[in-house]
Amino acid sequence: MLKLRVKSFPINLKNYSRLRHFILGKINSDEGHHDATSFGGYVQKRFKKNQNLSSLFTPLPVKSNPDDINVGVELTGSLNKNDLLKILNKFYQRKEIKALSMESGLDTYVQHQAYIGFRKFCLESEALPTDLHVILSDILQGAGHVDDIFPYYLRHAKQMFPHLECMDDLKKISDLREPANWYPSARAMTRRIIFHAGPTNSGKTYHALERFLTAKSGVYCGPLKLLATEVHKKANDYGTPCDLVTGEERKFAHGPDNPSNHVACTVEMTSVNNSYEVAVIDEIQMVRDNARGWAWTRALLGVMAEEIHVCGEEGAVELIKSIMTTTGEDVEVRKYKRLTKLELEESAVVSLDRIQPGDCIVCFSKNDVYSVSRGIEARGIEVAVIYGGLPPGTKLAQAQKFNDPESSCKVLVATDAIGMGLNLSIRRVIFYSLIKPLMNNKGEKEMDLIPVSQALQIAGRAGRYNTQFETGYVTTFKSEDLPTLKNILSQTPEEIVQAGLHPTAEQIELYAYHLPGSTLSNLMDIFVTLSTVDDSLYFMCNIEDFKFLAEMIQHVPLPLRARYVFCCAPINRKMPFVCSLFLKFARQYSKNQPLTFDWLCRNIGWPISPPKTILDLIHLEAVFDVLDLYLWLSYRFSDLFPDCDLVRDIQFELDSIIQQGVFQLTRLLRNSETRVSSGTGEDIQDEFNMKNVKQRYLRDDNDIYDGKDEGDGDDGRRGVGKGRLTERLLSQGLLTPNMLKELRQEWTQQGRNKMAGLSETPQREDRRGKRGRKPKH
């Protein structure tokens, strides 16, 4: 039986029955609660390692009402606090009480926290509940036993920890074993699933789009804004009116009041409420993505279309078949072969002097992009540059410059951002390195060998069908990498075994109803810990980015649904400028004050000056992301983000400024030499992470001098940058050689300062300054 705590209820009470019916009725086809172990290992509980479940629940303070008449005192007199403390301690020390508590669902952690709260409540409350006061008085007078306290202790524990009364409901809400049942409208349809499987440049998406263009109605679901925009343009050029829907943009062929029958959208924006004749879900292998995989799962299970054309790697076929078995739908597989030849060269490039027209050098760090492009242009060769942080317009402009046969630009330097979303006329793909930063299941960055599927996708960009290069070539820059690349490309893509899931806003709202004292980040942790998924088909997507944003705005007073939406914003948490504006957006929204164009311009420093250095360029990219964030929020909170048209205008202007900066990349690098010791540019993440890395160094025993002389320099530390922490930070990409060099220089100077008799290091001076000490001039 659910108890309604109306005073602390964080969502609209009228919606509760609807939400509860939706979650408990639609998600759980079975009425009763099943323990995960009853499925013979087929379903596993997703508990975090070494995670005490109860420690995730925030204890609520229980206070007496000071306005209550102290009936207990009138009936039995006042209680002696010293004697009361003795009987409370005696009560908690009894083994029988601990056993009873365990049987009532109170583990060791909850017992301890509940007792501390209960003891404080009894000793400090001016007016105890009458029944509790009478029982305590009887025990003090010898007319009762300490065990008689247990019902009141248990009552107090359930007030402190509401989950004790609703754990079954929480488990039902987070039961994700049958996500197909979340979409009853799609289940009511007879859908035909066609899987177009093949490698890059095999024409699989082309055939799916042919059906999309000729259908009476259709939806294209793509992984990138660039791909959705390309399909939108292609459809309208073909004569099929098509709208565009992305997180930050809406375009209507016939105006907003007359939507078209066709729509091209990013996969997160896929409607599961509109009916279509044909749906195309592109790059279906992205269901395995740790961050975004849930969006492909949702589109696949929920889109209401008579025909669903799924395009992607052959490694996803068996997973899609298995998922469709749970919906009672068959999958027709159409396999495609590459349309052009792709050959692995026998030798590596080794030197930039051997770069040829039509080459694309693929790097896995922005710093490498900068240094390689500068090295090539130093040889008198014009270069186009593409990496993930660039605005879409700049990427397209660079791609067009490279693709244009009349252009003098014949070489492209890019990151793996070219893997999808851009049509490029590449003769040869050169892997500058085979090591790239990858995100593990915990959301942590690790340096590892590029996966087979990504290597094949990037290499497959060479020799595109219907371009001047009918045969594609692939090689490495370093000779030692060539055998490894040959081995990678000889393999088939890894089989995809699981699709991603993510908690919905409705599920989290129900959690908040039952656990009113928990933060949004805490609710997500509890949900993931309690969630039950069918591990043979699904996994829980990483929620670290979501939690990061939730914790950033936790102190900002927002309704739960608005807070959830803010935390879904697609921003790079490694960009401090973007994060600071995100926080300002949330604060302004919480005050119910519109974020006007003038307000935005003041906060981003508009008008913007053209970039003079690489850091200037990176800052402009961050400003562009802030404008994207504004547009993204404007489609969710249109009343308080009213000036999206003006913002889009200055974003277009900023895109042009960034384009000019990229065209003059070598000049920006040259200007940066006085500011960056390596002369090759510096990622803004270095500045963002430097302070944290320093502190981790200072705290880590493995990298701090332990008093033994090991032939160190005069900085007073043993081999700065040579310990296990250094290796770990370098492997995770949190420390770059550039940052390491600066750290060594700084500590060398600190050592010299100490030898000169200076009493305080710069760090201590900074800390004292922060506490209000007036700095010396």
Side-chain angles (χ1 to χ4, degrees):
M1 188 70 180
L2 294 174
K3 293 187 178 181
L4 298 181
R5 301 174 181 85
V6 179
K7 289 184 179 179
S8 56
F9 189 41
I11 61 175
N12 189 335
L13 189 60
K14 292 187 296 183
N15 293 332
Y16 177 74
S17 60
R18 178 180 61 83
L19 291 174
R20 189 175 190 278
H21 173 74
F22 175 78
I23 300 296
L24 301 184
K26 302 299 183 185
I27 294 182
N28 300 294
S29 56
D30 54 326
E31 246 332 286
H33 169 67
H34 299 280
D35 187 81
T37 56
S38 65
F39 289 84
Y42 181 68
V43 176
Q44 299 177 4
K45 297 292 273 182
R46 286 297 190 97
F47 288 98
K48 295 179 180 179
K49 290 184 179 180
N50 304 320
Q51 176 70 69
N52 180 359
L53 173 63
S54 295
S55 66
L56 295 176
F57 294 97
T58 305
L60 300 180
V62 181
K63 297 180 181 179
S64 60
N65 188 346
D67 297 328
D68 286 347
I69 300 173
N70 201 337
V71 178
V73 172
E74 294 182 5
L75 292 175
T76 65
S78 299
L79 304 176
N80 184 291
K81 299 297 184 181
N82 291 329
D83 293 341
L84 178 58
L85 179 59
K86 291 178 182 178
I87 68 166
L88 289 175
N89 287 336
K90 183 179 179 181
F91 161 78
Y92 186 61
Q93 291 167 3
R94 286 178 58 76
K95 294 181 180 179
E96 294 83 357
I97 295 301
K98 295 186 184 297
L100 275 174
S101 298
M102 292 293 288
E103 291 176 7
S104 301
L106 281 67
D107 62 17
T108 304
Y109 170 82
V110 173
Q111 286 183 41
H112 182 65
Q113 293 295 321
Y115 171 68
I116 292 174
F118 181 66
R119 182 179 63 188
K120 182 178 180 180
F121 178 78
C122 292
L123 296 175
E124 296 182 3
S125 296
E126 294 181 5
L128 290 174
T130 304
D131 53 355
L132 175 59
H133 187 105
V134 171
I135 286 295
L136 293 174
S137 177
D138 288 348
I139 296 172
L140 287 171
Q141 295 174 25
H145 192 274
V146 291
D147 290 356
D148 297 338
I149 298 174
F150 182 76
Y152 306 96
Y153 162 71
L154 182 61
R155 179 178 68 186
H156 189 92
K158 290 181 178 180
Q159 290 175 314
M160 285 183 65
F161 294 96
H163 76 276
L164 295 172
E165 290 192 299
C166 60
M167 185 61 80
D168 283 350
D169 278 320
L170 295 178
K171 289 178 179 178
K172 285 185 178 181
I173 295 167
S174 55
D175 187 344
L176 311 181
R177 287 171 293 182
E178 298 181 356
N181 291 343
W182 302 357
Y183 310 100
S185 298
R187 298 292 75 77
M189 296 182 65
T190 302
R191 306 188 309 170
R192 180 187 176 198
I193 315 295
I194 302 167
F195 195 127
H196 300 266
T200 303
N201 203 9
S202 61
K204 56 186 183 296
T205 307
Y206 171 82
H207 288 92
L209 286 176
E210 276 193 325
R211 183 69 186 93
F212 168 80
L213 294 172
T214 57
K216 295 177 181 178
S217 62
V219 58
Y220 168 83
C221 316
L224 299 171
K225 187 192 307 182
L226 280 174
L227 279 171
T229 303
E230 181 183 338
V231 171
H232 165 257
K233 183 178 184 303
K234 182 176 182 179
N236 285 291
D237 291 346
Y238 183 83
T240 302
C242 181
D243 297 338
L244 174 68
V245 177
T246 71
E248 303 82 15
E249 190 173 12
R250 308 285 189 276
K251 287 185 179 179
F252 300 95
H254 301 304
D257 297 327
N258 186 18
S260 304
N261 291 330
H262 289 72
V263 60
C265 64
T266 45
V267 66
E268 285 87 352
M269 302 304 296
T270 305
S271 170
V272 294
N273 299 315
N274 296 332
S275 297
Y276 305 98
E277 182 182 352
V278 170
V280 176
I281 304 176
D282 207 358
E283 305 292 354
I284 190 63
Q285 70 274 3
M286 292 286 287
V287 292
R288 69 177 163 206
D289 188 82
N290 277 330
R292 300 176 64 205
W294 62 269
W296 276 265
T297 305
R298 173 179 173 273
L300 180 66
L301 293 175
V303 70
M304 297 167 57
E306 298 171 22
E307 286 181 28
I308 300 178
H309 293 258
V310 178
C311 308
E313 295 176 7
E314 192 171 338
V317 169
E318 293 305 317
L319 173 63
I320 301 306
K321 282 184 175 180
S322 298
I323 291 175
M324 292 299 96
T325 298
T326 68
T327 66
E329 296 165 326
D330 295 326
V331 179
E332 174 188 341
V333 180
R334 299 178 184 176
K335 296 184 179 181
Y336 300 82
K337 294 183 178 180
R338 184 176 168 85
L339 297 174
T340 59
K341 292 176 62 178
L342 180 65
E343 297 181 6
L344 177 66
E345 294 189 338
E346 295 296 326
S347 60
V349 174
V350 181
S351 171
L352 294 178
D353 293 324
R354 298 175 62 185
I355 295 298
Q356 302 172 8
D359 280 351
C360 172
I361 301 91
V362 177
C363 308
F364 295 122
S365 81
K366 204 183 292 186
N367 284 341
D368 284 345
V369 170
Y370 295 152
S371 59
V372 170
S373 59
R374 184 178 183 187
I376 295 174
E377 289 201 338
R379 290 160 171 78
I381 303 173
E382 190 176 347
V383 175
V385 175
I386 296 175
Y387 52 86
L390 292 176
T394 303
K395 289 179 186 174
L396 288 173
Q398 292 288 299
Q400 289 168 3
K401 183 173 78 164
F402 173 72
N403 288 339
D404 186 359
E406 305 299 322
S407 171
S408 57
C409 176
K410 303 297 183 184
V411 176
L412 175 65
V413 180
T415 64
D416 53 346
I418 65 161
M420 60 178 73
L422 289 168
N423 292 320
L424 296 164
S425 182
I426 299 171
R427 175 185 173 273
R428 179 173 64 170
V429 166
I430 302 167
F431 285 89
Y432 190 70
S433 168
L434 296 178
I435 303 296
K436 67 167 292 185
L438 299 171
M439 300 299 289
N440 62 21
N441 292 333
K442 298 179 181 179
E444 300 167 341
K445 184 189 291 185
E446 295 179 344
M447 305 301 291
D448 204 352
L449 194 67
I450 182 174
V452 172
S453 60
Q454 289 188 25
L456 288 169
Q457 188 171 41
I458 294 170
R461 306 297 285 176
R464 186 174 179 83
Y465 180 70
N466 240 359
T467 67
Q468 55 182 318
F469 304 120
E470 289 290 334
T471 299
Y473 300 90
V474 59
T475 187
T476 60
F477 186 79
K478 302 170 187 174
S479 297
E480 59 268 26
D481 287 341
L482 192 58
T484 305
L485 180 64
K486 183 177 182 179
N487 179 50
I488 290 174
L489 297 182
S490 66
Q491 301 177 45
T492 56
E494 306 91 345
E495 185 177 354
I496 301 168
V497 296
Q498 290 177 316
L501 297 173
H502 192 276
T504 65
E506 289 83 4
Q507 290 165 332
I508 298 304
E509 280 184 331
L510 277 178
Y511 256 55
Y513 168 76
H514 289 299
L515 307 170
S518 299
T519 66
L520 179 55
S521 175
N522 188 223
L523 289 172
M524 294 293 284
D525 268 336
I526 297 170
F527 186 97
V528 172
T529 304
L530 280 178
S531 64
T532 312
V533 299
D534 180 349
D535 282 340
S536 67
L537 295 177
Y538 301 104
F539 69 95
M540 182 66 72
C541 282
N542 188 278
I543 60 170
E544 292 308 310
D545 284 350
F546 185 99
K547 284 174 54 186
F548 176 86
L549 297 181
E551 289 164 4
M552 184 188 302
I553 62 172
Q554 180 53 45
H555 65 286
V556 180
L558 293 170
L560 181 66
R561 177 60 72 104
R563 189 181 300 278
Y564 182 96
V565 172
F566 264 88
C567 295
C568 290
I571 69 174
N572 183 354
R573 65 173 178 170
K574 296 294 181 64
M575 301 297 284
F577 182 76
V578 181
C579 291
S580 66
L581 266 294
F582 171 78
L583 181 55
K584 288 183 179 181
F585 284 2
R587 285 175 176 161
Q588 189 79 349
Y589 178 90
S590 72
K591 299 173 186 175
N592 203 32
Q593 296 177 358
L595 289 86
T596 63
F597 179 72
D598 290 340
W599 181 93
L600 180 63
C601 288
R602 287 196 305 273
N603 281 275
I604 64 173
W606 190 267
I608 297 290
S609 301
K612 295 180 180 179
T613 68
I614 286 297
L615 288 180
D616 292 341
L617 179 63
I618 294 173
H619 175 69
L620 296 190
E621 293 167 9
V623 174
F624 190 94
D625 287 348
V626 169
L627 300 181
D628 253 356
L629 174 62
Y630 184 99
L631 295 173
W632 190 89
L633 291 167
S634 73
Y635 286 108
R636 289 144 183 89
F637 308 110
S638 57
D639 54 337
L640 292 182
F641 291 81
D643 295 331
C644 56
D645 291 337
L646 291 171
V647 171
R648 188 167 287 109
D649 288 342
I650 66 169
Q651 191 181 47
F652 181 79
E653 183 179 340
L654 178 58
D655 197 336
S656 299
I657 295 174
I658 293 175
Q659 285 184 40
Q660 293 304 313
V662 175
F663 285 143
Q664 304 174 43
L665 192 60
T666 298
R667 180 177 63 81
L668 301 186
L669 288 166
R670 192 180 302 115
N671 291 343
S672 299
E673 285 183 342
T674 57
R675 298 176 59 184
V676 182
S677 57
S678 67
T680 59
E682 180 181 60
D683 196 322
I684 199 168
Q685 292 181 23
D686 286 2
E687 289 187 328
F688 185 49
N689 290 331
M690 178 63 84
K691 289 184 179 179
N692 290 336
V693 171
K694 288 178 185 175
Q695 293 305 315
R696 291 175 69 176
Y697 260 97
L698 291 169
R699 288 194 301 266
D700 195 279
D701 290 336
N702 294 325
D703 276 288
I704 293 180
Y705 179 65
D706 57 7
K708 297 179 181 179
D709 184 7
E710 298 184 18
D712 304 322
D714 59 4
D715 60 357
R717 298 181 182 276
R718 65 168 178 83
V720 172
K722 296 181 180 179
R724 290 194 295 272
L725 178 62
T726 303
E727 297 172 2
R728 186 163 70 250
L729 293 175
L730 285 168
S731 68
Q732 294 174 354
L734 296 175
L735 179 66
T736 68
N738 220 24
M739 295 167 66
L740 184 57
K741 185 175 181 180
E742 289 187 24
L743 287 167
R744 284 172 174 159
Q745 290 173 347
E746 181 175 328
W747 278 318
T748 298
Q749 185 60 46
Q750 290 174 24
R752 290 170 181 163
N753 290 344
K754 288 180 180 179
M755 292 177 67
L758 297 179
S759 61
E760 292 205 40
T761 65
Q763 286 94 338
R764 291 180 64 186
E765 186 71 25
D766 287 345
R767 287 197 294 269
R768 291 186 64 172
K770 287 180 181 179
R771 290 196 297 265
R773 181 177 183 268
K774 186 176 181 180
K776 296 179 180 179
H777 296 287

